[in-house]
Amino acid sequence: MEQLKIVATAHQVPERVVTNDELSELMDTSDEWIYPRTGIHNRHVVTDENTSDLATAVAKKLLAESGWSADDLDFIIVGTMSPDALSPHTAAIVQGNIEAGNAFAFDLNAACSGFVYGLSAASAFLSSGRYQRGMFIGAEVLSKLVDWKDRTVSVLFGDGAGGLLLERTDEPVGLIAEELQAYGDRGEAILTGRFANQNAFAGEISPLDPYFHQDGRSVYGFATREVPKVLDRALQKAGLQADDIDLYLAHQANHRIIESIAKNFGQSMDKFPTNMAEYGNTSAGSTAILLDELRQSGQVKPGMKVAFVGFGGGLAIGAQIWQL
Ligand code: ACO
């Protein structure tokens, strides 16, 4: 086990709530269509904030909760597929905003697996012995990548950020095992933010397409088929059975996908808490928001074994087993 401690968690979502009923005034959709297929009623959407604003709010809450000073941080990683800009990267903006003068900072894009991949990277930095304390934040403003006239995509997503502070510890807690897997040959199933080659030598210029596109059916099939295999490999590496895990915190894309995974492992949905009804799919933010809510309510507590599960764009999947 990599001996690491989750010292604090926090989240931040925009105030503005957009209900399914409100979306039905913008496009031909309804709560009756959206909720049974996804488990989503609402999503929070920014009006004047960007990704770094949500991430900075999370960073400040994390420091306040932990009592750490910004100078204590060795690094800041922001998982995002919707940065403010490619440069400066969002983690650097956060680092500047909180004046974390000793921290290096970088963004990591693994789409909806961003939480698990980011936690993996943060854990590896700390376990290497080179660093002592780090911050990971998953932060997304997906509303800027969504065509609000496209009912097949816009109803699924929301904006939000969540994060945690990690440190090396001598206590018997930390990362027991993980399994990460990419499926680049299936990447066309989720396409977002394509750049055109606009250089002077490029000939015909293909149009820039910022919007999110996905083949919902094939992503659904991919997630229900492949996620259990990856999670099973993580459990095997950990030497644990599915019953040994107290809670499974899965990426909040779709209630039916999570139900299918729970059924696959013979687990009750009580062990697979969800919050997509309120936030929709916030990609790299989703599991971190859920973790913080459950910690604040006392449902996630020290002594538990928790599995984190991410899946989505790339395509990519990741699973981690933690002893809290
Ligand atoms: N409201 C009303 N009707 C709709 C809507 C909507 N919002 N969206 C689609 N429809 C219509 C379609 O046009 C289609 O109509 P047609 O039969 O007349 O052509 C019909 O409903 C069925 O459409 P499908 O796309 O086949 O619907 P499906 O049952 O597959 O549900 C959904 C769609 C909810 C997107 C599902 O496929 C899904 O959840 N997929 C997984 C998506 C996911 O989890 N992505 C995660 C990764 S995201 C990331 O990595 C960032």
Side-chain angles (χ1 to χ4, degrees), residues 63 68-74 98-103:
L63 293 179
W68 290 8
S69 104
D71 285 338
D72 292 332
L73 291 171
D74 294 320
I98 64 170
E99 298 178 20
N102 299 319

Side-chain angles (χ1 to χ4, degrees), residues 248-305:
Y248 292 83
L249 272 53
H251 168 51
Q252 302 289 295
N254 180 310
H255 202 275
R256 287 190 302 154
I257 292 176
I258 294 177
E259 278 173 342
S260 165
I261 298 167
K263 197 170 161 205
N264 201 301
F265 285 91
Q267 301 296 301
S268 119
M269 275 301 283
D270 294 347
K271 283 178 134 188
F272 281 75
T274 63
N275 65 5
M276 82 284 282
E278 179 59 25
Y279 304 119
N281 176 349
T282 57
S283 194
S286 84
T287 312
I289 296 170
L290 182 65
L291 172 65
D292 183 46
E293 288 190 328
L294 295 170
R295 252 180 114 243
Q296 301 302 338
S297 66
Q299 288 163 271
V300 163
K301 40 185 185 270
M304 279 186 159
K305 284 189 180 59

Side-chain angles (χ1 to χ4, degrees), residues 27-30 33-34 37-38 81 110-113 140 142 150-157 190 192 212 214-221 223 251-254 256-257 281-284 311-315:
M27 61 192 101
D28 183 14
T29 192
S30 62
W33 192 96
I34 299 167
R37 284 173 179 78
T38 66
M81 62 181 290
C112 296
S113 294
E140 305 282 11
L142 297 171
D150 180 356
R151 67 180 183 174
T152 67
V153 166
S154 57
V155 304
L156 304 172
F157 295 104
I190 300 176
T192 315
F212 204 106
Q214 75 171 336
D215 177 349
R217 286 253 157 134
S218 84
V219 175
Y220 189 94
H251 168 51
Q252 302 289 295
N254 180 310
R256 287 190 302 154
I257 292 176
N281 176 349
T282 57
S283 194
F311 55 89
L315 299 177

Side-chain angles (χ1 to χ4, degrees), residues 116 119-120 123 175 177-179 234 306-309 318-322:
V116 172
L119 206 46
S120 174
S123 305
L175 176 60
E178 74 173 19
E179 179 76 10
V306 171
F308 296 118
V309 184
Q320 284 193 331
I321 316 288
W322 279 72

